[in-house]
């Protein structure tokens, strides 16, 4: 019983030694999916405009 008590007294000051440090590098968020979606929408709109403006190239 006294060993547990003494070891508890020794460990108590060590339990309060917690440090919080900010990361050295900035947080990076990868948004490649959104960029690809914008490119696909842009290409789709360009293709629709091209087909509309050149109906002789795409007969129905």
């Amino acid at each position: 019983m006294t060993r547990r008590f003494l070891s508890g007294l020794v460990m108590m000051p060590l339990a309060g030694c917690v440090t919080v440090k900010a990361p050295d590098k900035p947080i990076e968020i990868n948004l490649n999916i959104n960029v690809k979606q914008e490119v696909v929408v842009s290409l789709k709109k360009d293709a629709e405009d091209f087909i509309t403006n050149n109906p002789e190239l795409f007969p129905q």
Side-chain angles (χ1 to χ4, degrees):
M1 176 87 174
T2 57
R3 279 190 176 176
R4 286 187 185 174
F5 179 73
L6 291 176
S7 65
L9 285 177
V10 171
M11 296 301 283
M12 275 181 67
L14 297 176
C17 298
V18 177
T19 58
V20 178
K21 182 181 171 188
D24 294 335
K25 298 178 183 177
I27 298 172
E28 182 178 328
I29 300 172
N30 192 348
L31 298 175
N32 286 338
I33 294 172
N34 291 337
V35 172
K36 288 179 184 177
Q37 288 176 348
E38 289 178 15
V39 170
V40 170
V41 169
S42 177
L43 288 175
K44 182 178 177 184
K45 179 68 174 141
D46 289 344
E48 288 174 352
D49 290 344
F50 183 77
I51 292 169
T52 303
N53 293 333
N54 300 296
E56 68 280 359
L57 297 176
F58 303 96
Q60 294 183 356

